[in-house]
Amino acid sequence: MPVATLTEIPVKKQIRIALRNCGVINPEKIEDYIVRDGYFALGMVLSEMTPENAIGVIKDSGIRGRGGAGFPTGLKWEFASKSMSEQKYVVCNADEGDPGAFMDRSILEGDPHTVLEAMALCGYCIGANTGYIYIRAEYPLAIARLKTAISQAREFGFLGKSIFGSEFEFDIHLKYGAGAFVCGEETALIHSMEGLRGEPSLKPPFPSESGYLGKPTNVNNVETYANIPVIFLKGAEWFSGIGTEKSKGTKVFALAGKVNNVGLVEVPMGITLREVIFEIGGGIKDGKGFKAVQTGGPSGGCLTEKHLDTPIDYENLIACGSMMGSGGMIVMDEDDCMVSIAKFFLDFTVEESCGKCSPCRIGNKRLYELLDRICTGKGEMPDLDRLRNLSEVIKDTSLCGLGQSSPNPVLSTLNNFYHEYVSHVEDKKCQAGVCRDLLEYFIIEENCVGCTACARACPVGAISGERKEPHLINPDTCIKCGACLEKCKFDAVILR
Amino acid sequence: MDRVKLTIDGRAVEVPAGTTIYKAAKELGIDIPILCYMDLKDLNIENKPGGCRICVVEVEGRGNLASSCSTNVAAGMVVKTNSMRVINARRTVMELILSDHPKDCLSCAKSGNCDLQDMAVKLGIREIPGQEYAEMSTYRLDTSPSIIRELDKCIMCRRCETMCNDFQTVGALHAVNRGFESVVAPAFEMNLEHSPCTYCGQCVAVCPTGALTEVDHTSKVISALNDPTKTVVVQTAPAVRAALGEEFGMEPGTRVTGQMVSALRQLGFDYVFDTDFAADLTIMEEGTELLGRLTRFMEGDEEVKLPILTSCCPGWVNFFEYNYPEMKEIPSTARSPQQMFGSIAKSYFAEMIEVDRKDMVVISIMPCLAKKYECQREEFSVDGNPDVDYSITTRELAHLIKQANLDLAKLDSDDFDAPLGESSGAGVIFAATGGVIEAATRTAYEIYTGKVLEKVDFEQLRGMEGIRSAKVDFDGQEINIGIAHGLGNARKLLDDVKAGKSQYHAIEIMACPGGCIGGGGQPLHHGDASILKARARAIYAEDRDKPIRKSHENPYIKKLYEEFLGEPMSEKAHELLHTHYFDKRKKIFQV
Ligand SMILES: Cc1cc2nc3c(=O)[nH]c(=O)nc-3n(C[C@H](O)[C@H](O)[C@H](O)COP(=O)(O)O)c2cc1C
Ligand code: SF4
Ligand code: SF4
Ligand code: SF4
């Protein structure tokens, strides 16, 4: 999706920090970035601040990681700076594996220098001279722009030896990911960088103690980095003035689904879902009713009407049974079947589980199978208890964040839309009309003229009725091929 | 070291900082169940992927459960290992693992010896909810000369991977594919046969399930025994007698030499012989070769390459042929004792009893899986007739004995047959790391110095350290000896040799931990390395009890040279007892 989608969305209620330059500057010209105060923060920090002071600024700003977990960035930098080692690394996590997410890509394509500047700042703070950007190979434009930006920055002396005439030396290289979702998890990412199988390992040790090649490594997300230079320029106090008590600044969301305006939005923490969906997003498409919103990517939870006025921040989303994740936001309307939605997301996690730990490897598969049974009319009431228990155990026992969150779509839909599960299981009905196996072909008596076209089309002879009399479909014989619906010229055959 | 106080299941315990919850609980006698975790302490091998999640416990103040095998204690921690939440989680995880595991326990090679089965018993699993519609992950069956991989039964504990990579540095097995399809396999999902696998069998030795097992030849042995036209000869490797008892419930380290001979006789073998005899023969050949090379080296012959490497371990030979083919002139050319035995049995002994070699079946009982492959090597056959027909493991022998309704413990002791059943103590210690070189030293010393060796026990060559070095005084001439067990350790010594940095005159290498006593065909140690030590003690005790402890003093060996071979390294000896090596690197990954 082109960066241009940004401008199509109403800017009201939005604050642009991470996206401040996107669509505004020419990302291939370092001069454009410099004109907008680019590399000023780096120059200022190198000449005026000790690493400790600079880390203090980040801590005071209250910024937390935008990659999902929301860990305080200043604290992370402090850990890395205190880890004793000759060699340390700064890593930018640009794996962006959430389907439908493109905030990191937009930043890298629209404003690559801000990430480079932030990584150099981080290098100064923690005492590292080498940075790596781990980027998925499927982002060729972002890669090209990063390459251009890196060579420009080297030319201008913002990367390389004695930056701004100081003793500080820093350079950045690219590493390419093969696009596995779990490779975005920081330990898996580091293993992948090392050429090993991209699977997570237990923490501790955290990367800040033992990361790339066993050296202290600071891993941050693209969007996190994009905030850093501005924090130095405008001050910690300014930044912490935005947002809620525990979640400062802004968050970029990829608004998608059944809303009128889709695309990236950058909003202050503390904004409500209602404001995002109805004011910025312009409400539900085609005048339909709002049903749910899923935040946090494939393993986020589905929130409902009752959550619409909750201020969005890390803690609140978790309390509602979802999470911030990397900022996916998918809106659903009355035509969406929540059981199918849960199954859809589980399908993704089953594909993306790395296979290392048993609850995630096998458990998610079993969750999927249960959901599939329910969607195809084979579900029984005890299956719902099993779904819940399995979900809870998978969350409770999985090794990494993927398994620890993958049941969220199931649990949140069980909690918020239990009645839909029950009607799938007990009445064998899918109210939203999504689960094909639960639908039946039905002839509306009033519309039927008795032309017999349907009866002649039916390959299994499931339709009976006298000529010129309303016809009837025998649901036990019907194989749901849809031939009757196609043949009927009077809109008498429906799926219900 | 700092000590940390914590509470586990309501009881206080104090342990050194850095201890895991699992180990801290052990101090209190609380046995948290583990499945993938494996700690082979003496070998410095720990498998700790934290993958099975069976060992989870509740830690107060923590959001999710913690895997106790891999979570360190912290001061003031309050841990519960048996709360409702933990028990439910553990059972549910176990049910999940079982839901993706075949249910053919009754006919599985590991039945009764399977960690997964034991865990199901321990956790009291009675049903697997939803099994009727649970899809199972499947993988093709892979059969190689030594090992069968039946990965439908793999639980992804990764123990095999740890052994093959960290301990052996062979790198034949890695986790491949993702999610539900994950398995452990050679690169490009080749069959094991086309991988760098050495058939050391250490992966089989630690696999908790029936996913990795040996190729079973017991039925072929039974057929041979029941074929009246065949003379069936059996040889038993030294390590077998120190471990076979474990299969019959005896304490590790119980020697069962005599009962084993008795059992073999009752099974119907026509001649019950001892590989130890061939070990003595190996010493004659290898020792002579060593002395020859050493003498020429001392005299300044530049063509002579040192160190000389032992060659009696076929897993090690495979490793060498794959990884260091450019140095294939360095190992001794002496065949392994198994093959020396086969060769002598089907020539010298066959002539003696006037049986055509085609009518003789030689079976070997080995602690080893690589021997299954070794006896199939083309160079060890005559006109397509192999010197050793079938090699079976200690475990397979135990099955044979049980099938014959024999209880090893209740059998009387019996003696090996002559002439190929007589051995010295030197032949016995071949079973333990350092034993081959000690045996060689006993003989080489006397031949080199012309003096009688007063003290035959070379304690400095024994032990469990992965790499050991020792100096032996040959009457003023100092001999530097290196010893490695485990191929990772061997690699370190070999890299030095390759770089021209090695100071050794001779190096002994065995592929398995502890030497053959820890072979891939031995009764499973289930992660308890102390069992290996007990077996080593048994081996050295057997050596001590032998009236003859030097190979060259074995009267039957002397007779063999007098009547048949002539001299060590004679032409005939070369033909029957020596071999040459191949460059196998080219063969890898070629199908
Ligand atoms: C399954 C999984 C996938 C993840 N994918 C990403 C990702 O694509 N990008 C990202 O920045 N962080 C991702 N993370 C989070 C990282 O592990 C890590 O917390 C983050 O990169 C730290 O940066 P931050 O503190 O700036 O957020 C993922 C985590 C998990 C468990
Ligand atoms: S939770 Fe899933 S992705 Fe994470 S380690 Fe376990 S199997 Fe791999
Ligand atoms: S037999 Fe040895 S070398 Fe082969 S896969 Fe197993 S551990 Fe690796
Ligand atoms: S093959 Fe055996 S040892 Fe290897 S991972 Fe599977 S179960 Fe574990």
Side-chain angles (χ1 to χ4, degrees):
Chain A
M1 251 171 278
V3 178
T5 43
L6 282 172
T7 50
E8 292 159 12
I9 301 186
V11 285
K12 72 172 173 190
K13 302 236 172 188
Q14 295 201 53
I15 301 179
R16 293 276 170 85
I17 300 177
L19 299 176
R20 66 193 178 284
N21 291 329
C22 290
V24 178
I25 64 168
N26 179 344
E28 291 180 354
K29 283 173 97 175
I30 191 170
E31 294 85 353
D32 273 26
Y33 180 64
I34 295 171
V35 166
R36 307 241 322 161
D37 294 339
Y39 292 106
F40 277 44
L42 182 60
M44 189 259 295
V45 169
L46 287 183
S47 56
E48 296 172 14
M49 286 191 195
T50 63
E52 293 74 46
N53 290 342
I55 290 176
V57 172
I58 299 302
K59 282 173 76 175
D60 291 344
S61 77
I63 185 171
R64 295 166 63 176
R66 303 298 194 234
F71 191 81
T73 306
L75 211 54
K76 196 186 265 189
W77 289 20
E78 189 171 72
F79 287 147
S81 82
K82 287 191 173 153
S83 289
M84 288 302 156
S85 177
E86 286 283 297
Q87 179 73 58
K88 299 182 188 178
Y89 296 102
V90 174
V91 169
C92 172
N93 186 342
D95 190 56
E96 195 159 55
D98 289 17
F102 58 104
M103 25 272 169
D104 294 350
R105 195 189 74 176
S106 301
I107 292 170
L108 295 170
E109 287 179 359
D111 192 14
H113 284 288
T114 191
V115 174
L116 305 187
E117 182 178 5
M119 289 176 72
L121 281 162
C122 176
Y124 175 70
C125 288
I126 70 164
N129 62 10
T130 309
Y132 289 101
I133 301 176
Y134 183 91
I135 183 165
R136 48 177 44 227
E138 292 94 328
Y139 280 0
L141 183 60
I143 291 170
R145 295 221 164 127
L146 276 171
K147 281 185 178 162
T148 311
I150 289 171
S151 66
Q152 287 172 346
R154 284 181 191 149
E155 246 170 69
F156 276 66
F158 300 143
L159 289 178
K161 292 200 190 321
S162 68
I163 298 169
F164 282 104
S166 72
E167 309 243 294
F168 178 58
E169 151 183 4
F170 193 77
D171 204 359
I172 296 176
H173 312 276
L174 300 184
K175 290 253 179 194
Y176 305 106
F181 175 61
V182 75
C183 285
E185 196 281 336
E186 54 192 1
T187 59
L189 179 143
I190 287 167
H191 296 311
S192 169
M193 281 175 63
E194 293 166 338
L196 302 173
R197 175 174 162 91
E199 63 179 21
S201 49
L202 280 159
K203 295 184 277 192
F206 290 95
S208 53
E209 307 155 53
S210 170
Y212 183 53
L213 304 177
K215 304 292 178 202
T217 302
N218 182 76
V219 184
N220 275 126
N221 163 261
V222 173
E223 188 185 329
T224 312
Y225 283 123
N227 281 286
I228 299 295
V230 196
I231 292 174
F232 282 114
L233 288 175
K234 299 200 177 176
E237 222 169 291
W238 165 79
F239 190 84
S240 63
I242 305 165
T244 66
E245 193 198 332
K246 287 185 175 165
S247 303
K248 302 298 186 188
T250 58
K251 178 74 195 93
V252 181
F253 290 99
L255 194 56
K258 309 274 180 64
V259 274
N260 284 310
N261 307 323
V262 296
L264 293 189
V265 299
E266 182 169 358
V267 290
M269 299 277 190
I271 196 170
T272 63
L273 285 166
R274 189 184 301 282
E275 287 170 288
V276 175
I277 297 166
F278 289 93
E279 297 187 31
I280 301 173
I284 309 300
K285 263 189 195 159
D286 303 331
K288 299 233 170 171
F290 165 84
K291 185 167 192 179
V293 55
Q294 204 244 12
T295 72
S299 41
C302 294
L303 304 180
T304 167
E305 191 76 37
K306 66 175 187 258
H307 302 113
L308 280 180
D309 295 312
T310 312
I312 302 176
D313 69 8
Y314 293 101
E315 277 71 25
N316 282 345
L317 285 177
I318 288 176
C320 301
S322 185
M323 58 189 205
M324 186 77 81
S326 57
M329 194 176 278
I330 301 171
V331 180
M332 294 153 213
D333 69 9
E334 54 200 77
D335 292 342
D336 286 308
C337 159
M338 299 316 287
V339 187
S340 304
I341 293 280
K343 186 179 134 185
F344 171 82
F345 287 118
L346 254 296
D347 191 28
F348 177 83
T349 29
V350 167
E351 283 300 308
E352 295 297 334
S353 161
C354 80
K356 184 169 181 175
C357 72
S358 24
C360 174
R361 179 180 72 243
I362 311 169
N364 282 320
K365 179 89 176 170
R366 301 294 174 243
L367 282 184
Y368 179 86
E369 286 166 350
L370 280 168
L371 292 168
D372 189 56
R373 278 170 63 77
I374 295 169
C375 287
T376 52
K378 301 187 198 103
E380 292 159 14
M381 283 310 280
D383 288 348
L384 300 187
D385 295 334
R386 255 197 87 209
L387 263 185
R388 184 180 293 281
N389 179 56
L390 256 186
S391 295
E392 275 160 7
V393 170
I394 294 168
K395 274 183 79 125
D396 219 8
T397 56
S398 285
L399 189 157
C400 90
L402 193 151
Q404 285 159 14
S405 58
S406 61
N408 281 340
V410 183
L411 282 174
S412 62
T413 49
L414 271 175
N415 288 337
N416 298 327
F417 301 93
Y418 190 68
H419 57 278
E420 275 195 45
Y421 280 88
V422 173
S423 79
H424 277 70
V425 171
E426 296 235 289
D427 319 332
K428 309 289 176 208
K429 284 264 184 286
C430 173
Q431 243 75 39
V434 174
C435 299
R436 292 220 133 241
D437 289 297
L438 299 188
L439 298 181
E440 55 178 16
Y441 286 88
F442 178 77
I443 296 175
I444 304 173
E445 217 182 302
E446 301 85 73
N447 293 8
C448 179
V449 298
C451 72
T452 74
C454 58
R456 277 179 281 130
C458 179
V460 290
I463 304 179
S464 58
E466 294 300 315
R467 180 169 266 283
K468 300 219 171 118
E469 294 292 324
H471 280 44
L472 198 71
I473 301 177
N474 178 355
D476 296 333
T477 329
C478 171
I479 56 164
K480 298 182 185 170
C481 69
C484 51
L485 190 138
E486 237 167 68
K487 273 277 159 357
C488 180
K489 297 198 185 76
F490 306 96
D491 291 339
V493 185
I494 58 159
L495 252 181
R496 62 164 198 196
Chain B
M1 194 188 278
D2 288 354
R3 294 184 68 83
V4 172
K5 284 186 187 158
L6 69 156
T7 315
I8 303 178
D9 292 344
R11 291 154 65 194
V13 64
E14 194 180 315
V15 290
T19 307
T20 61
I21 297 176
Y22 168 73
K23 285 184 177 160
K26 252 206 162 147
E27 301 268 305
L28 288 170
I30 298 171
D31 221 356
I32 302 174
I34 47 166
L35 196 51
C36 68
Y37 180 67
M38 177 181 73
D39 184 13
L40 298 176
K41 284 186 215 70
D42 302 300
L43 309 171
N44 291 323
I45 287 292
E46 201 179 21
N47 181 59
K48 195 159 82 170
C52 74
R53 316 305 288 174
I54 286 290
C55 71
V56 287
V57 294
E58 198 174 334
V59 176
E60 222 174 80
R62 183 183 157 127
N64 59 351
L65 299 178
S67 47
S68 60
C69 72
S70 41
T71 306
N72 286 352
V73 296
M77 219 180 213
V78 179
V79 177
K80 286 191 203 122
T81 75
N82 56 12
S83 64
M84 259 308 273
R85 178 175 163 208
V86 170
I87 289 174
N88 176 55
R90 190 174 287 147
R91 281 186 68 102
T92 306
V93 170
M94 186 62 189
E95 286 164 6
L96 284 173
I97 296 173
L98 293 177
S99 77
D100 187 30
H101 194 86
K103 310 294 180 295
D104 53 6
C105 283
L106 284 177
S107 52
C108 176
K110 276 277 172 66
S111 192
N113 221 338
C114 167
D115 294 352
L116 187 67
Q117 214 174 45
D118 292 350
M119 187 61 63
V121 172
K122 175 168 168 125
L123 300 185
I125 304 293
R126 289 291 171 274
E127 63 165 340
I128 298 154
Q131 186 67 68
E132 321 82 73
Y133 50 84
E135 190 195 321
M136 310 258 274
S137 57
T138 57
Y139 202 79
R140 68 171 196 273
L141 194 73
D142 172 20
T143 307
S144 68
S146 297
I147 293 169
I148 299 180
R149 292 167 60 233
E150 194 179 340
L151 293 181
D152 294 1
K153 293 179 179 166
C154 172
I155 57 166
M156 285 300 279
C157 71
R158 317 288 284 272
R159 290 185 190 181
C160 55
E161 201 183 347
T162 297
M163 289 313 277
C164 194
N165 292 274
D166 298 358
F167 186 67
Q168 299 297 45
T169 66
V170 169
L173 297 174
H174 300 279
V176 299
N177 301 339
R178 309 198 68 80
F180 198 59
E181 312 299 327
S182 307
V183 282
V184 177
F188 310 115
E189 298 190 58
M190 291 282 182
N191 284 346
L192 206 56
E193 205 176 344
H194 304 290
S195 80
C197 171
T198 65
Y199 300 130
C200 72
Q202 283 309 310
C203 51
V204 176
V206 298
C207 180
T209 71
L212 297 173
T213 53
E214 67 269 28
V215 172
D216 189 311
H217 286 316
T218 48
S219 53
K220 293 195 168 136
V221 174
I222 294 174
S223 310
L225 288 171
N226 286 289
D227 184 341
T229 66
K230 301 290 185 199
T231 302
V232 190
V233 173
V234 66
Q235 55 162 321
T236 63
V240 178
R241 68 208 62 185
L244 181 65
E246 293 165 33
E247 290 282 337
F248 296 87
M250 298 180 209
E251 277 301 304
T254 312
R255 275 186 280 157
V256 293
T257 320
Q259 288 106 311
M260 174 182 71
V261 173
S262 222
L264 289 167
R265 214 156 261 141
Q266 295 209 30
L267 281 169
F269 288 99
D270 298 306
Y271 295 93
V272 181
F273 288 143
D274 199 353
T275 314
D276 296 20
F277 171 85
D280 281 337
L281 189 55
T282 304
I283 290 304
M284 298 307 290
E285 293 297 323
E286 201 170 272
T288 309
E289 191 185 352
L290 164 70
L291 279 181
R293 277 214 228 169
L294 206 58
T295 318
R296 282 166 62 201
F297 182 80
M298 301 294 178
E299 288 164 356
D301 185 339
E302 304 218 324
E303 290 213 335
V304 173
K305 292 202 179 104
L306 282 183
I308 187 168
L309 311 175
T310 59
S311 57
C312 36
C313 166
W316 147 237
V317 168
N318 289 338
F319 180 76
F320 188 90
E321 289 182 320
Y322 281 125
N323 294 284
Y324 298 91
E326 64 282 0
M327 301 200 296
K328 63 180 194 290
E329 311 309 324
I330 299 188
S332 159
T333 57
R335 292 182 191 179
S336 72
Q338 159 172 279
Q339 293 309 138
M340 285 201 182
F341 181 95
S343 175
I344 292 299
K346 286 202 179 175
S347 56
Y348 172 69
F349 181 64
E351 281 169 33
M352 185 184 290
I353 60 168
E354 295 177 359
V355 168
D356 190 295
R357 68 175 283 143
K358 292 202 173 57
D359 295 327
M360 180 181 276
V361 177
V362 174
I363 309 285
S364 69
I365 318 286
M366 293 284 146
C368 175
L369 299 190
K371 301 261 171 36
K372 286 180 186 281
Y373 164 80
E374 186 188 38
C375 71
Q376 294 178 25
R377 277 179 175 245
E378 233 175 71
E379 60 268 30
F380 298 141
S381 63
V382 174
D383 302 329
N385 178 270
D387 294 344
V388 175
D389 292 81
Y390 304 113
S391 176
I392 66 169
T393 61
T394 313
R395 293 192 293 266
E396 288 169 88
L397 174 60
H399 285 149
L400 276 178
I401 296 174
K402 287 175 189 167
Q403 277 187 63
N405 309 324
L406 300 173
D407 182 355
L408 196 73
K410 297 204 180 110
L411 295 178
D412 290 331
S413 208
D414 209 344
D415 289 326
F416 286 109
D417 291 313
L420 309 184
E422 206 58 52
S423 78
S424 74
V428 177
I429 58 175
F430 261 59
T433 170
V436 174
I437 209 78
E438 179 170 344
T441 305
R442 291 180 190 173
T443 291
Y445 177 92
E446 293 204 348
I447 296 177
Y448 184 84
T449 63
K451 295 183 181 170
V452 173
L453 181 65
E454 295 302 338
K455 190 176 168 301
V456 293
D457 293 299
F458 287 88
E459 297 287 345
Q460 70 267 41
L461 299 174
R462 302 179 184 177
M464 271 293 189
E465 284 283 298
I467 295 178
R468 307 191 295 284
S469 58
K471 293 185 194 310
V472 177
D473 181 20
F474 271 29
D475 210 14
Q477 171 66 50
E478 199 165 73
I479 306 292
N480 291 331
I481 291 173
I483 297 166
H485 59 120
L487 296 170
N489 294 321
R491 189 186 284 279
K492 290 184 194 141
L493 293 187
L494 281 184
D495 284 342
D496 280 353
V497 173
K498 200 169 159 182
K501 289 194 297 191
S502 182
Q503 298 303 317
Y504 296 119
H505 296 110
I507 298 178
E508 178 207 282
I509 293 173
M510 295 194 195
C512 292
C516 302
I517 50 171
Q522 292 282 60
L524 302 175
H525 53 63
H526 295 282
D528 183 356
S530 72
I531 292 179
L532 304 186
K533 284 188 179 166
R535 291 177 191 161
R537 280 195 297 275
I539 289 296
Y540 287 111
E542 179 120 336
D543 167 36
R544 248 192 332 271
D545 292 351
K546 285 266 183 185
I548 297 173
R549 300 186 62 194
K550 299 165 198 160
S551 299
H552 58 285
E553 289 177 357
N554 180 342
Y556 290 91
I557 290 284
K558 288 185 190 165
K559 206 160 149 236
L560 173 66
Y561 279 104
E562 273 160 29
E563 290 177 359
F564 190 65
L565 293 169
E567 297 274 288
M569 303 283 282
S570 69
E571 203 170 304
K572 187 142 197 180
H574 258 291
E575 182 196 322
L576 293 173
L577 306 178
H578 288 258
T579 185
H580 50 280
Y581 303 106
F582 299 87
D583 180 350
K584 283 223 189 107
R585 192 175 281 167
K586 296 187 212 101
K587 272 180 68 182
I588 314 180
F589 299 132
Q590 284 177 3
V591 210

